[in-house]
Amino acid sequence: MVPDKSRYFSGPVPLLLLAAVILASFLASSGPIQWMDNGMFLADATTGQYFAQSLGPLDHPLYQFFNTVFYKVFGSSQLLSLLNSMLLIPVAASIFWLSRSLGASRNLALLAGAVTVTAHGVFWISTKAEVYIFHMLFVLLAYGVAFDLRLKVSDYTRLGIIGLLTGMAGSIHQLTFIVLLPLYVQLLMQYRGRTLMTVPGFAIGFFSAYPGMLHDLGSGMNLIEIVRHYLTGAEASKADVNWEGSMFRFDEMWHEKNSVMILLLSLIGPQLLGLVMMPKDRRQRVLWAAVLLNFIFAVPYNVTDRFTFFLPGIALAAILGVMRLKELLPERRVSATVLNLSVFTCPAALLFAWVLYDGGLIKLPVHTEALPYRNDIHYFMVPYLRDRSAQQFVEQYEVTAPAGALIVSDWTPMGALRSAQAAGQLQGRTLASCETNEDMSRFVNGAGAFLPRTSYCEKVLAKYALDKREVGYRLQDKTVVVQNP
């Protein structure tokens, strides 16, 4: 193990810091009404659908199963919205275990957990309903089982457990096959042919994906097509609906520099050392390779939320980073203070930038497609400050759209609307996507049809006129508007 360089780095401070930052996640939670995918996850968990009906790139079978079971047991959208904050506890325990297995002292291992939680991407996702915290847990556990030499099990059992955890992680998110690749290279070098013992474990861990696979087999897809569809979204019948063309788009990074910058925010702190400094220890070098692979994949991945794809890398980089920082610091009392304060490097930097922005001293880029009540700088950059903009939006629509009305929207507001109905609000209102071909005339001429924003709703704009309301618009028949100017 890496010994503490002095007696100064001891005591309860790292444990208290870890408890405090996890508590901060609970306090900053966005609640049971959330935008976009986050709201959809909350709503879907209340439907009682335990298994995904297909195995597509946006299906997360084990996460869906776990969410649905959690809601079935507790029956509370409020508790469900806090699930990722709760999962920070086992995540922190896994980081502690893995750090200790790699040679970190007790307090350094606790500090690695606190640094991970306060990193921008991890804290942001912990306040939302998302798959990535749950996924990260199984990745950390797989590395922990591989590297804990104190674990008194046979090689076959160890490999079987690693395979089981890989299967569970793989049935949550496809990122598994990138961040665990260095581990499997190490296993092949160490165990050679015995590494095949991970396969039975994987088959068991992947259980939640089988109903979707069976459905896809029944629809005429073969296993190769199913695997490719799950990994990239590619379908023989829909050549343009996949994410293969979004991978490794280094040519688009400058054009999408705002989303790239959001990812880089998670490297403010000791975790940057974990990325840029190659360790000498062989096992730590395996983790470093995983961080590097995750970073190389996530940065040029041409999607707006690319920062969410770097979550496992953040945790592994934080473990390595606090160890590198400890090695670089001299044997002084002030070194313990620096180590402890490093937990707040990322939130301090981002909150300071927010204060400057809010005071009009600096300008920061915002999304061109604005949402009611949501300040994008607050929402994306400073998750440490609670955002309840989706709830404010829904409360306004309970006044704007009477019972019996239709609310038609694009995907992002729809997440808020659906999660609100799952939580018991907006009862009696019908929801529809902007892509619907349904005739809305009975709503337009009746209780009303409402559109929160015009973005991504060209089909609706082509059919109906707009009557501006406090938030969004009420749809009107164009022929009526023309006859009564």
Side-chain angles (χ1 to χ4, degrees):
M1 293 196 176
V2 176
D4 291 334
K5 287 187 174 180
S6 75
R7 65 182 183 279
Y8 300 125
F9 190 53
S10 60
V13 174
L15 178 59
L16 293 174
L17 288 174
L18 178 57
V21 297
I22 292 176
L23 175 62
S25 172
F26 281 90
L27 297 176
S29 170
S30 291
I33 301 173
Q34 299 182 19
W35 300 108
M36 206 172 174
D37 294 359
N38 313 131
M40 295 297 189
F41 285 133
L42 290 168
D44 289 344
T46 68
T47 63
Q49 188 70 50
Y50 292 95
F51 296 100
Q53 297 303 292
S54 181
L55 195 60
L58 300 181
D59 294 302
H60 310 283
L62 186 58
Y63 180 75
Q64 178 178 328
F65 179 80
F66 183 70
N67 261 11
T68 306
V69 170
F70 186 93
Y71 183 80
K72 180 69 174 179
V73 172
F74 296 103
S76 168
S77 292
Q78 179 64 46
L79 276 179
L80 186 63
S81 71
L82 294 171
L83 180 57
N84 273 343
S85 295
M86 298 177 197
L87 286 173
L88 288 178
I89 299 172
V91 162
S94 301
I95 290 171
F96 180 85
W97 177 36
L98 179 55
S99 300
R100 294 285 282 163
S101 300
L102 292 170
S105 66
R106 175 183 175 276
N107 274 357
L108 210 58
L110 290 169
L111 209 62
V115 169
T116 299
V117 173
T118 56
H120 169 268
V122 176
F123 199 95
W124 192 92
I125 292 171
S126 76
T127 65
K128 308 290 187 291
E130 259 295 359
V131 304
Y132 301 97
I133 299 283
F134 193 48
H135 173 255
M136 181 170 64
L137 175 61
F138 293 100
V139 171
L140 291 168
L141 288 173
Y143 275 106
V145 171
F147 292 150
D148 188 358
L149 302 180
R150 299 165 298 177
L151 198 61
K152 301 302 181 182
V153 295
S154 69
D155 290 347
Y156 291 112
T157 301
R158 188 185 299 270
L159 291 167
I161 295 172
I162 292 171
L164 176 71
L165 294 167
T166 303
M168 297 177 80
S171 63
I172 301 170
H173 203 280
Q174 301 87 338
L175 189 59
T176 302
F177 306 108
I178 292 173
V179 293
L180 288 184
L181 178 59
L183 174 61
Y184 274 80
V185 171
Q186 171 62 28
L187 294 178
L188 280 169
M189 293 172 60
Q190 183 176 353
Y191 297 105
R192 300 186 184 278
R194 287 180 292 170
T195 305
L196 288 173
M197 288 304 300
T198 59
V199 175
F202 181 92
I204 296 171
F206 208 61
F207 76 94
S208 58
Y210 294 145
M213 289 180 65
L214 290 173
H215 174 272
D216 290 342
L217 284 169
S219 67
M221 296 175 68
N222 60 46
L223 281 176
I224 294 176
E225 290 172 334
I226 290 172
V227 170
R228 187 182 175 199
H229 179 51
Y230 181 56
L231 293 178
T232 69
E235 290 185 77
S237 59
K238 299 177 182 179
D240 60 332
V241 186
N242 66 78
W243 279 263
E244 289 179 354
S246 298
M247 296 179 186
F248 305 110
R249 293 301 304 271
F250 293 96
D251 58 315
E252 290 286 342
M253 285 177 59
W254 179 251
H255 182 263
E256 299 295 332
K257 55 186 175 293
N258 291 345
S259 61
V260 172
M261 185 57 64
I262 292 176
L263 184 149
L264 296 179
L265 296 179
S266 292
L267 288 172
I268 300 175
Q271 53 271 36
L272 179 60
L273 298 176
L275 173 65
V276 301
M277 296 181 67
M278 180 188 292
K280 296 178 181 179
D281 179 82
R282 177 181 53 82
R283 292 177 300 165
Q284 292 182 29
R285 197 172 295 176
V286 174
L287 256 64
W288 179 78
V291 174
L292 194 61
L293 272 180
N294 195 178
F295 183 74
I296 291 172
F297 172 79
V299 169
Y301 190 32
N302 197 32
V303 294
T304 303
D305 61 344
R306 69 187 74 196
F307 75 96
T308 62
F309 290 82
F310 189 43
L311 225 65
I314 295 170
L316 300 178
I319 293 171
L320 297 174
V322 295
M323 297 175 78
R324 299 291 81 76
L325 180 60
K326 182 67 186 302
E327 292 170 356
L328 293 172
L329 290 171
E331 296 184 27
R332 297 287 187 273
R333 184 184 297 274
V334 70
S335 297
T337 303
V338 171
L339 280 164
N340 290 329
L341 289 180
S342 69
V343 171
F344 301 107
T345 308
C346 189
L350 297 184
L351 288 169
F352 179 67
W354 163 254
V355 169
L356 295 179
Y357 169 81
D358 197 43
L361 299 176
I362 61 172
K363 291 185 178 181
L364 295 170
V366 295
H367 201 286
T368 55
E369 309 295 344
L371 283 165
Y373 299 104
R374 194 176 90 177
N375 180 304
D376 281 346
I377 301 301
H378 178 188
Y379 182 76
F380 283 110
M381 198 178 80
V382 281
Y384 318 101
L385 302 177
R386 187 173 70 171
D387 176 88
R388 291 293 176 93
S389 56
Q391 181 176 321
Q392 291 176 279
F393 163 71
V394 165
E395 288 171 351
Q396 179 59 49
Y397 258 83
E398 286 203 303
V399 177
T400 301
L406 169 73
I407 306 175
V408 56
S409 82
D410 63 280
W411 182 259
T412 300
M414 185 61 74
L417 298 168
R418 281 200 61 210
S419 58
Q421 287 197 334
Q425 294 184 249
L426 286 177
Q427 299 303 299
R429 283 77 165 181
T430 301
L431 306 180
S433 165
C434 283
E435 297 302 312
T436 184
N437 293 315
E438 180 184 350
D439 182 13
M440 304 179 201
S441 57
R442 66 184 180 93
F443 292 102
V444 172
N445 300 320
F450 298 85
L451 182 71
R453 65 173 182 174
T454 57
S455 306
Y456 313 110
C457 292
E458 290 78 8
K459 288 178 66 174
V460 176
L461 299 179
K463 294 180 181 179
Y464 300 98
L466 302 178
D467 178 20
K468 187 75 175 74
R469 295 302 166 102
E470 184 172 343
V471 174
Y473 309 85
R474 178 166 180 163
L475 302 182
Q476 293 186 327
D477 193 313
K478 282 189 172 182
T479 58
V480 175
V481 173
V482 171
Q483 292 172 6
N484 301 284

